[in-house]
Amino acid sequence: MTPLIGFAGYSGSGKTTLLERVIPLLKNHGLRLGLIKHSHHCIDPDKPGKDSYRLRHAGCDQTLLATRDRNMLYFEYRNDDRQEPQLNDCIAQLDHTNLDLILVEGFRDEAIPKIEVHRPSYGKPLLHLNDPNIIAFACDDIQVQSTSCPNLPLNDPSAVADFIVSRLQQEQQITRFCPECGQKSWVMRTAKKFQCLSCQFEYFQNPASAVMAIITCDNEVLLTQRKYAPQAGYWDLPGGFVDPNESLETALHREIKEELGITINQGHYIGSYPNQYLYQNTCYATVDATFFIQLKKKPDVIVNDDVMNCAWFPITELPWSTLAFSSNVSALKDALVHRE
């Protein structure tokens, strides 16, 4: 089955405009693209009086107009009580042997991986809050961020295209052969569900656990600067992945010791924040458990591990635009800004 990525959003949000700008960038990566667009209107792209129009309207149920440059296949549905088109039926009509990716505009309620296109100025509700199949949130307002999926700048089509290419590379690395029957029929059904089309075996790729620490002292916050990808050079909260057989608290204390060379045995849990961690073309979904630590005295810090630097920032002067992850932004806003 050819991979699918949908673009979901309310009318006027800019789905078509975004696709129009993203498609050439995907083509530059050598991808062969298919497109399915849903419309509620009755559309006839043919011209009255042309031979193809006359023959179609003479009663043909399917008409293929073949030219050197393109083929145009028309299906006529003359049943007045026919329901809205079904996505699976549309997918089946495409020639998958010549496609690497199918882009879908519309069909926003279908359980396929989708990028939400959102403009806050339109006053429409957010889709990703109630749709686990939305894999990214494209918005034109940096102040409106998703806490459950990656955030993409709506006005930067290259960022959207890069996200799609990275996801395809991830699928190619992970979804080839079924681990149960060995057949090359392993497909990604949703953002976390994989299924074999041969034996129907299912696998769920659930998020990895990680920890973050918001360490404060004298109305300042301690941030670390990342040494390695992803987001090398960006500011981050101290923390990291939870090891097997390790509690969140143990992982927190270990990570702080490894990165900063200090021992902290306290920490008040404040919440968890979904995040996407793109490493070597593989995107790991994480849940970042966040702890608040308030110190009476600034400790002597020795950076180590994957940290290149650290600094104390006044709460009113946090480097929001150069924070590494959306979970950093959400946690800091909840812990500091929203508490004021």
Side-chain angles (χ1 to χ4, degrees), residues 13-86:
S13 59
K15 300 185 296 296
T16 300
T17 300
L18 178 60
L19 275 166
E20 186 180 21
R21 300 172 68 189
V22 166
I23 287 172
L25 300 175
L26 296 177
K27 292 295 293 181
N28 288 341
H29 284 275
L31 294 175
R32 300 170 299 172
L33 302 176
L35 176 71
I36 298 175
K37 177 177 173 60
H38 179 264
S39 176
H40 294 287
H41 304 289
C42 181
I43 299 173
D44 190 339
D46 213 349
K47 294 182 178 180
K50 292 293 184 180
D51 292 349
S52 56
Y53 183 93
R54 292 165 57 194
L55 294 172
R56 283 176 49 228
H57 286 268
C60 292
D61 296 305
Q62 296 185 30
T63 303
L64 176 63
L65 177 59
T67 72
R68 183 185 65 178
D69 298 319
R70 67 184 56 85
N71 288 352
M72 290 167 280
L73 179 59
Y74 296 89
F75 294 85
E76 305 296 337
Y77 303 106
R78 307 183 190 281
N79 191 346
D80 292 337
D81 60 357
R82 181 177 183 267
Q83 301 298 313
E84 287 293 318
Q86 299 298 306

Side-chain angles (χ1 to χ4, degrees), residues 157-207:
S158 62
V160 179
D162 289 345
F163 173 83
I164 293 173
V165 171
S166 295
R167 181 177 175 85
L168 286 178
Q169 291 173 340
Q170 175 192 4
E171 288 192 35
Q172 291 170 357
Q173 292 174 351
I174 297 176
T175 61
R176 290 184 178 179
F177 298 94
C178 172
E180 182 71 13
C181 71
Q183 296 296 313
K184 194 176 181 180
S185 51
W186 193 237
V187 297
M188 179 181 283
R189 287 297 194 189
T190 69
K192 70 171 186 177
K193 179 181 176 181
F194 297 81
Q195 185 179 38
C196 176
L197 299 179
S198 298
C199 70
Q200 304 305 309
F201 174 76
E202 295 180 340
Y203 170 75
F204 293 86
Q205 189 179 35
N206 293 311

Side-chain angles (χ1 to χ4, degrees), residues 37 39 49 64 71 114 218 269 302 307:
K37 177 177 173 60
S39 176
L64 176 63
N71 288 352
K114 288 168 287 194
D218 297 332
Y269 176 75
I302 302 176
V307 174

